[in-house]
Amino acid sequence: MSRKQPTFKPYNQQQIMLLPTSLEDLIPKTHPVRIVNDVINKINLDPLNAAYKTRGSSSYHPQMLLKVLVYGYVSNVYSSRKLEAACKESIYFMWLSSMSYPDHNTINRFRGVRLKEALRNVFEQVVLLLAEEGLLSIEEIFVDGTKIEANANKYTFVWKKAIQANKEKMKKQLGQIWEYAQSVASKEDELPDPPDFTEIDTKKVQSTVDKLNEVLSKKDGIDKKVKSKLRRVTKEYPANIAKYERQEAILGQRNSYSKTDTDATFMRLKEDHMKNGQLKPAYNVQISTSNQFIVNYTLHPNPTDTTTLNDHLAQHENSFKSFPKVVTADAGYGSQENYTLLEDKEIAAYVKYGLFDKQQNKTYNAKRPFSADKLFYNPQNDCYICPMGQQMEYIGNSKRKTSTGFEQTSKMYQAKNCYGCPLNGGCHKSSGNRIIEINVELERQKKKAYELLNSPEGIERRKKRCFDVEPVFGNIKNNHQFRRFMLRGKEKVEIEWGLLAIAQNIRKKAA
């Protein structure tokens, strides 16, 4: 008895279709690629068109290239070569590009050169479109930062401290040879006192080396070690000091940079896969969010968030012609400089300071019974009362400047006699009478922040911050596997992050 044959659907690769299939029919109505298409179609691309020359051969349409790039970042396709392949293989990219096939050089040049002046404007238009739809607010924002590894070699570094140490060695060596030359110089070649090597530059080093060679070359019986040192100094020091000056110009206010991306600074990354806390070249990315949409972004070379807020808010004002009305941020931004900035701009600041979270803990407070903030202050006599009842009298001010040049002033108060006090050792650890420093302005700002953060609205904003701004970084880094920039140089890295920000907003809109 013959076995019954299974039934299959028709399959014939040579079958000719009466009407060819349209790509439009193959794209689902709710697919994110349609949102990319709709959003880019709505924005004004005149700033981008201005990047093209009016003469020469025709170019691929910038609107098409922008759609391809943005959808690439939406779908985790970041490489220009992979984008080139996708335009030939993926129906979504083929639909966006209208069956155009730009090569990877064209895509890379468009991303790195054409978008340089226009992408910020494109991003701002996307944000304003979303704001018009009621999806986000540009007035109430949450601010946070993260570090993204640069596309740079972690072993080709330049450190400011190493340059300073080498320059100190040069000063010492030149000073020693100069002293030796003074001891053997004749009256007609008598050398003056050694040059001032407090600050050395190429001109000073070269003139010192020339003078030493001039004097010592005329002498017989010069110490062989000194001759050897002078030869090395003559050969290496002028070139080295010129190199150090170039490196210091690149460093600016930073402590380090990578030779393969001189705009990248060495920072400790939390997400380091080696888990050994080593420093890597990276950028500090700051974002403002609203409902998990990115409202503003800036990139910074300094690893700490504290000094980034001024420039970040300035960019917000430049983009939207006004400052936000409300800013919520974590303790990384809680400094006197930032509180002063926010007050000057009349921005409601729900910003924690360093010990805010610990101060909510009763156990922590119980362990610090003698801290300065627990001491009683007598405003009439302008004095504090120590735990044993002594007056701590005002003895003057201390001033310090931050790395950004912001000046802080603290008032100092000193106890009269701590000798033999039974609380000595528990109250303070210093050998003499206890001195406390009180930054009056900062204490006022911290008190104001404490009241705001513990108000009903403040508690709500603190809770919302954790699931508004932080998940955006988590989504980009973990879900979309973007942990390292592909381009080099701050200008190009800003373009790359701008594309990521637009992609994040479109993904959120699609969701």
Side-chain angles (χ1 to χ4, degrees):
M1 185 175 179
S2 62
R3 182 174 176 271
K4 187 177 180 180
Q5 295 295 318
T7 304
F8 298 107
K9 292 182 179 180
Y11 173 66
N12 183 1
Q13 286 184 292
Q14 310 305 319
Q15 176 68 49
I16 299 175
M17 302 178 70
L18 178 63
L19 295 174
T21 303
S22 169
L23 287 174
E24 181 71 28
D25 299 332
L26 299 176
I27 309 293
K29 297 298 181 184
T30 57
H31 197 278
V33 73
R34 290 191 180 274
I35 297 177
V36 172
N37 189 63
D38 292 342
V39 169
I40 302 302
N41 282 342
K42 289 178 182 177
I43 63 179
N44 177 16
L45 294 181
D46 287 346
L48 180 55
N49 296 337
Y52 287 83
K53 296 178 180 178
T54 56
R55 297 180 179 180
S57 59
S58 59
S59 304
Y60 284 106
H61 203 289
Q63 188 179 49
M64 179 271 291
L65 291 171
L66 181 60
K67 289 178 182 178
V68 166
L69 259 181
V70 170
Y71 183 65
Y73 278 75
V74 167
S75 55
N76 305 353
V77 183
Y78 309 119
S79 161
S80 57
R81 291 183 184 274
K82 289 182 179 179
L83 287 169
E84 176 188 359
C87 288
K88 300 174 183 176
E89 299 168 357
S90 167
I91 59 171
Y92 306 117
F93 284 92
M94 292 164 71
W95 178 71
L96 277 181
S97 67
S98 188
M99 302 295 287
S100 297
Y101 307 119
D103 63 18
H104 65 275
N105 282 326
T106 300
I107 294 170
N108 209 34
R109 186 165 56 251
F110 176 78
R111 176 170 56 184
V113 179
R114 308 292 190 192
L115 284 177
K116 184 164 58 175
E117 303 296 334
L119 186 65
R120 175 69 69 168
N121 180 269
V122 171
F123 168 77
E124 291 163 0
Q125 290 188 65
V126 172
V127 170
L128 292 173
L129 281 174
L130 297 171
E132 287 175 6
E133 294 181 29
L135 295 173
L136 60 84
S137 168
I138 61 174
E139 295 184 341
E140 299 182 7
I141 61 173
F142 299 85
V143 179
D144 203 0
T146 193
K147 299 176 183 65
I148 303 287
E149 186 178 351
N151 181 11
N153 189 331
K154 63 183 178 181
Y155 299 114
T156 56
F157 43 74
V158 173
W159 294 95
K160 179 179 282 187
K161 286 186 177 179
I163 294 174
Q164 291 171 346
N166 289 335
K167 288 174 74 173
E168 287 300 321
K169 289 178 183 177
M170 292 172 68
K171 294 177 188 178
K172 185 177 179 181
Q173 192 78 279
L174 287 170
Q176 289 174 348
I177 300 175
W178 190 277
E179 288 177 4
Y180 177 83
Q182 277 183 316
S183 67
V184 300
S186 58
K187 290 184 179 179
E188 58 270 16
D189 293 326
E190 186 175 352
L191 285 171
D193 291 332
D196 180 14
F197 290 131
T198 307
E199 291 294 332
I200 60 173
D201 53 32
T202 307
K203 185 177 179 181
K204 185 179 289 186
V205 168
Q206 187 65 61
S207 63
T208 303
V209 169
D210 291 343
K211 185 65 176 176
L212 288 171
N213 277 298
E214 178 187 344
V215 172
L216 295 179
S217 62
K218 301 175 182 178
K219 301 296 178 184
D220 297 325
I222 299 298
D223 189 295
K224 290 183 179 180
K225 289 184 178 179
V226 174
K227 278 188 176 181
S228 176
K229 286 180 182 179
L230 184 58
R231 281 196 298 269
R232 185 167 64 83
V233 164
T234 304
K235 181 180 178 182
E236 298 177 3
Y237 279 20
N240 284 350
I241 194 67
K243 180 183 73 173
Y244 295 149
E245 287 177 347
R246 292 193 298 270
Q247 290 174 341
E248 286 176 326
I250 294 171
L251 279 167
Q253 299 299 315
R254 296 181 293 162
N255 291 320
S256 62
Y257 72 83
S258 171
K259 292 180 182 178
T260 45
D261 183 354
T262 56
D263 291 336
T265 307
F266 279 80
M267 308 177 188
R268 294 194 188 278
L269 306 184
K270 292 180 182 177
E271 298 85 3
D272 176 28
H273 66 282
M274 296 294 289
K275 304 296 182 184
N276 57 6
Q278 65 177 299
L279 296 168
K280 290 184 178 179
Y283 290 92
N284 186 353
V285 180
Q286 298 288 310
I287 62 171
S288 302
T289 66
S290 173
N291 294 328
Q292 295 186 0
F293 290 93
I294 297 178
V295 176
N296 180 31
Y297 66 90
T298 51
L299 274 79
H300 305 265
N302 45 302
T304 56
D305 293 337
T306 313
T307 56
T308 62
L309 189 62
N310 189 9
D311 290 342
H312 189 70
L313 292 178
Q315 179 60 59
H316 187 105
E317 195 270 341
N318 188 51
S319 295
F320 306 114
K321 311 310 174 192
S322 65
F323 288 101
K325 293 182 179 178
V326 181
V327 169
T328 306
D330 65 12
Y333 302 87
S335 68
Q336 182 183 352
E337 183 175 1
N338 288 340
Y339 285 134
T340 304
L341 168 70
L342 293 165
E343 284 183 344
D344 291 345
K345 305 300 181 186
E346 298 182 349
I347 299 171
Y350 295 88
V351 180
K352 294 180 182 179
Y353 48 87
L355 294 176
F356 175 80
D357 287 329
K358 288 185 177 180
Q359 286 178 351
Q360 313 304 304
N361 188 326
K362 293 181 180 179
T363 305
Y364 175 79
N365 288 325
K367 291 179 179 178
R368 303 171 63 251
F370 305 127
S371 61
D373 59 314
K374 300 289 194 305
L375 302 181
F376 175 76
Y377 175 66
N378 185 331
Q380 285 77 25
N381 297 332
D382 188 20
C383 69
Y384 280 82
I385 308 300
C386 83
M388 287 300 292
Q390 282 194 74
Q391 284 192 4
M392 303 182 71
E393 296 180 346
Y394 170 69
I395 59 171
N397 292 342
S398 68
K399 294 185 178 182
R400 59 178 292 269
K401 283 190 176 182
T402 65
S403 59
T404 58
F406 182 81
E407 188 174 273
Q408 296 177 316
T409 302
S410 297
K411 299 179 72 174
M412 296 189 296
Y413 297 84
Q414 186 175 34
K416 290 182 178 178
N417 183 17
C418 292
Y419 179 75
C421 177
L423 295 180
N424 205 338
C427 178
H428 67 106
K429 304 294 183 182
S430 58
S431 58
N433 294 333
R434 183 181 181 184
I435 297 176
I436 60 173
E437 291 189 19
I438 305 295
N439 187 328
V440 178
E441 178 64 11
L442 179 57
E443 291 303 317
R444 179 193 68 79
Q445 292 169 337
K446 286 165 67 174
K447 183 179 178 181
K448 178 181 176 182
Y450 185 90
E451 292 171 353
L452 275 174
L453 290 164
N454 282 306
S455 67
E457 184 179 358
I459 293 170
E460 186 64 29
R461 290 187 184 278
R462 280 160 51 196
K463 290 179 179 178
K464 189 176 180 182
R465 188 196 69 81
C466 298
F467 57 81
D468 197 299
V469 63
E470 291 180 3
V472 173
F473 286 132
N475 187 42
I476 291 172
K477 285 184 169 184
N478 297 322
N479 297 342
H480 296 279
Q481 296 301 306
F482 193 92
R483 297 173 178 273
R484 191 172 192 259
F485 288 111
M486 301 184 68
L487 305 180
R488 293 179 177 178
K490 188 171 184 285
E491 282 188 347
K492 292 184 178 180
V493 165
E494 281 185 335
I495 292 171
E496 200 166 5
W497 187 262
L499 289 166
L500 282 164
I502 294 170
Q504 165 66 19
N505 289 349
I506 289 175
R507 280 195 299 261
K508 184 65 180 173
K509 177 178 168 62

